[in-house]
Amino acid sequence: MYRAHMTVRIFALFSLVALAIAAHSQTPAQPYAPDPNKILRYAFEVAETTLDPQKVADVYSSIVNNAIFDAPLRYDYLAQPAKLLPNTLVALPEASADYRTFTFHLKPGIYFADDPAFNGKKRELVAEDYVYTLKRLFDPKLTAPLLSEVEGYLLGSNEYAEKARKAGRLDFDAPFEGVKALDRYTFQIKLIDPKPAFVFKLTDCRVACALAREVVEKYGSDIGSHPVGTGPYRIAFWKRSSKMVLEYNPNFREMYWDAEPNADDEKGKEILKLMKGKRLPMVGHIEVSIIEEMQPRLLGFLTGGQDLLWRLPEEFSTMAIPNNQLAPNLVAKNIQFAQQPLLDLTYMYFNMENATVGGYTPDKIALRRAITLAYRTEDELKVIRKNQAIIANTPYSPGVEGYDANFRTSANDYNPSKANALLDMYGYKRGADGWRTMPDGSPLILKSNSTPTDRDRQIDEMWKRSMDDIGIKIEFRKARWPDLLKESYAGKLMMWSLGNSASEPDAETWLTLLYGPNTGQKGNQARFQLPAYDEAYKRALQLPFGPERTKLYQDMAKLMVAYAPWKINLHRIGTDMWHPHVIGFRRPLVQTQNWWKFVDIDPAKQKEFEAKK
C-alpha cells in the first residue's frame, strides 16, 4: 500500500513537472491588437472643443470622447428604434418598482488606458469611478453643460449642489445619497421622483463616461488635454482645431461584434452577416481632420484623402445624389452611400432676457411671432438644404419617444402679411426709411450671430431677405463656434441659429432646453422661464412612455409656439458616403454615439483603391 501510494505521488510529481516544462516551452499567447495599417480617415465640419467629456456641449467632441471613454450603457448598432444595451455592465440596470432606484453591476476586469497618474500600475474600472464622475457634474469649477440632467433629479442633489456653490468647490468625499457605490463593482442611483427614462442618461458620455479621480487630480484644469478612459482608442496626436489621430488602446477589454437589426432591415442583416463575431475594434488608427468648408471636405473625400464622408453637404446633393440616387460617376467609383432621417432639429433661439427680443408682454410675443411668421423655411429647405430635410412641426424630431406624426402646430406657418399686421398692431411702426422702430420710437435692430462658413452665410442671407419683407433690420456678427457657445451660455447673444442632435431617443432631449431651471449653462440658452411649461415638463418626466406623457409633450410644443422663444425650422436628413474598403458602416441614430469600433477596413480593397488614386 505504501509503495503504491508513493508510486502515485511520484507519477503525479513527474506529470506536474512535465506540464510546467511544456507550458514554459509554448509561445505565450499574443495580446490582441487590430492591424495598425488599417486607418480610417474622415473629417469633422466643426472643431472639437475639449476632451473632458463633462465639459462638452457639441456632437463632434462627444463622438471623440465616446471612443476614449465608456458610459455604462450604449445603443445597439443596428436596431431601429434605438435599443439600450449594457456597455461596461453585466446586464441592464435593475429598476425599482417606483422607478426611483437604479442599480448597476459592472463587469470586472475593465481597465483604463495606461497613464503616469497610475504610477505604472494597471488601473481597473470600479463602481467608485462612476460615482466620482456623476458627482463631478456638481463641481462649480467645472460648469458642466449637462448638470441639468442630474441636479434636481438625484436624491439630495439640490442640497449637494448648493453646498458646493457656497463653498466654491465640491467635496467629493462627502456622502451623497443620489449616487453611491455598494461594493467594488456595484453602484446605485436614487431619484427624488419617479423617472423611468432616466437610464437613457447613462448612455451619454457628457453625463456618465467614467473618469479616474487620480487622472483628474493630476492634470487639474488641463484634464481636457489629457483624456484617459477605458474605451477602444486613445489620443496619439492632437493639433487643436486641425487634426486628431487616435490609436488602439491595448488595455481595451475583450469585446466582439454583435447587433440585432430589425426583421425588415435587409441592409442591417447584411452588415450583421459580414461582421458578427469579429473582435473589436478592427481598425488600428482613426485620423480626423477639421475641414469647416463644405467644398474642401467633399473634394477631400472624392480625391481619396478621406475614406468616409460624414454628412454630404446639402449644397452638393443635386450633383452627388440627384433624385436621391447616387450619380453615375460615383457609381463607377463603387462609392457607397446611405441616407437617414436624423434625430435632430435646427432652430433660431431668442434670448428672452434681451431688451429687444425678450420678454413675455404681448408686444414682445408679437415681435417674436412676426419674426417666425416671416422666415422662409420652405426656401431654406429647397434652396439651401436641397430638400435634404423635412420641415419641423414640433420642437422634437420624428423617431423619438413622444413624437406623433398626426400632431401638428403652426410653428412653420409662413405668412408675412400676418407678420406685418402683428407689428403694426403692437406699435412697431415703419420710419421714413422703411425700417420699423420699437414701440418707443427707438431703432429696431436684430443682432444675429453665426460662424464664418459658407452654409451659415447662406442662412444669414435667407434671414436678411425674410426680415426685409417685414421691414426689420437685421445685422450679423461672425465668430468661431466655441466662442459663440461661451457667450451664449453667459446670455450675451440676442439670437443664434443652432442645430441640436438627440442625446437620447426621447423628445425630452429638446424639451429640457426650454425648462426654466436649466437656464444658461444647463442648456436653456433662450433663458425661457414659463411656469406652465415647467410644470408640464416636470409631470411628463414622472410618467412612463405612453399617451399621457405624449400629450404633455404636445402641450409644451404649443406653449413654445405661442411664446416663440425658438423659431424651429427643420429636421435634417443625413447622407453619408464611403469608399468600398470601409466595411460595416451605419450612422448611429443618436449622433453622439461613437461608431468607430464597429467598422473595418478591407486591406485588399484599400490597396486597390490607393493604386487608382
Side-chain angles (χ1 to χ4, degrees), residues 368-413:
R368 293 191 301 272
R369 286 289 293 134
I371 292 169
T372 65
L373 284 164
Y375 185 67
R376 305 182 186 193
T377 309
E378 188 82 29
D379 286 357
E380 180 183 332
L381 172 65
K382 293 177 179 177
V383 178
I384 300 175
R385 304 289 182 180
K386 310 299 182 187
N387 290 313
Q388 299 302 301
I390 58 175
I391 289 179
N393 282 298
T394 56
Y396 44 87
S397 76
V400 297
E401 290 284 354
Y403 182 83
D404 180 354
N406 296 316
F407 173 72
R408 298 182 64 83
T409 70
S410 60
N412 263 307
D413 286 358

Side-chain angles (χ1 to χ4, degrees), residues 574-589:
T575 299
D576 303 307
M577 294 183 175
W578 57 97
H579 292 293
H581 53 269
V582 177
I583 311 296
F585 171 76
R586 172 172 280 184
R587 172 183 284 269
L589 286 174

Side-chain angles (χ1 to χ4, degrees), residues 530-537 539 556 559 563:
L530 189 70
Y533 183 97
D534 294 347
E535 184 58 34
Y537 177 82
R539 282 165 46 212
M556 285 183 269
L559 288 169
Y563 284 86

Side-chain angles (χ1 to χ4, degrees), residues 242-257:
S242 178
K243 187 174 183 178
M244 290 180 174
V245 178
L246 293 98
E247 63 184 4
Y248 172 65
N249 169 20
N251 289 350
F252 185 61
R253 62 193 174 277
E254 194 170 342
M255 188 175 181
Y256 295 91
W257 210 106

Side-chain angles (χ1 to χ4, degrees), residues 120-349:
K121 299 176 182 177
K122 285 192 74 175
R123 171 62 157 80
E124 189 179 20
L125 174 70
V126 295
E128 281 291 355
D129 294 316
Y130 282 115
V131 173
Y132 171 78
T133 297
L134 287 162
K135 282 183 171 182
R136 186 171 178 255
L137 291 165
F138 293 89
D139 188 347
K141 295 178 180 178
L142 181 69
T143 58
L146 267 67
L147 173 60
S148 61
E149 305 287 355
V150 292
E151 186 179 358
Y153 301 115
L154 299 190
L155 188 62
S157 60
N158 292 325
E159 298 82 0
Y160 192 67
E162 186 58 27
K163 185 177 179 181
R165 290 188 183 108
K166 283 183 178 178
R169 58 181 291 276
L170 183 70
D171 181 359
F172 284 95
D173 297 314
F176 177 24
E177 190 64 19
V179 56
K180 59 184 178 181
L182 303 184
D183 59 41
R184 183 172 178 82
Y185 300 114
T186 307
F187 69 98
Q188 192 172 78
I189 289 174
K190 290 187 176 181
L191 306 179
I192 299 169
D193 297 306
K195 193 177 182 189
F198 185 81
V199 288
F200 283 143
K201 310 300 180 193
L202 279 297
T203 66
D204 195 325
C205 205
R206 299 168 297 173
V207 173
C209 269
L211 288 84
R213 181 172 181 172
E214 53 265 57
V215 173
V216 178
E217 291 179 348
K218 177 178 177 63
Y219 297 111
S221 60
D222 199 32
I223 182 64
S225 300
H226 297 273
V228 181
T230 59
Y233 292 100
R234 62 187 182 185
I235 287 287
F237 171 82
W238 183 11
K239 184 178 180 182
R240 288 180 180 271
S241 302
S242 178
K243 187 174 183 178
M244 290 180 174
V245 178
L246 293 98
E247 63 184 4
Y248 172 65
N249 169 20
N251 289 350
F252 185 61
R253 62 193 174 277
E254 194 170 342
M255 188 175 181
Y256 295 91
W257 210 106
D258 200 7
E260 291 187 21
N262 296 2
D264 60 351
D265 182 1
E266 296 304 321
K267 183 61 180 176
K269 287 189 281 190
E270 181 184 320
I271 293 173
L272 179 64
K273 186 177 179 180
L274 281 171
M275 311 299 284
K276 186 176 174 65
K278 290 187 176 184
R279 178 85 181 256
L280 303 180
M282 296 159 279
V283 175
H285 289 87
I286 310 291
E287 293 184 2
V288 180
S289 301
I290 311 302
I291 306 176
E292 294 180 343
E293 289 296 341
M294 294 181 283
Q295 187 170 5
R297 197 163 63 253
L298 176 60
L299 287 175
F301 169 72
L302 294 177
T303 56
Q306 297 156 27
D307 304 298
L308 180 141
L309 180 68
W310 176 265
R311 287 282 304 280
L312 171 73
E314 299 103 333
E315 181 179 331
F316 299 101
S317 58
T318 52
M319 174 188 73
I321 49 168
N323 300 314
N324 292 319
Q325 298 294 319
L326 200 63
N329 63 311
L330 301 184
V331 172
K333 292 184 176 183
N334 203 20
I335 286 173
Q336 311 295 300
F337 93 112
Q339 291 183 293
Q340 180 175 291
L342 304 179
L343 304 187
D344 90 336
L345 175 73
T346 67
Y347 59 96
M348 171 76 82
Y349 83 74

Side-chain angles (χ1 to χ4, degrees), residues 396-436:
Y396 44 87
S397 76
V400 297
E401 290 284 354
Y403 182 83
D404 180 354
N406 296 316
F407 173 72
R408 298 182 64 83
T409 70
S410 60
N412 263 307
D413 286 358
Y414 173 65
N415 194 330
S417 296
K418 185 176 179 180
N420 276 310
L422 268 174
L423 294 169
D424 291 340
M425 183 184 302
Y426 285 94
Y428 297 93
K429 298 176 182 178
R430 288 183 185 264
D433 57 2
W435 296 114
R436 292 186 182 271

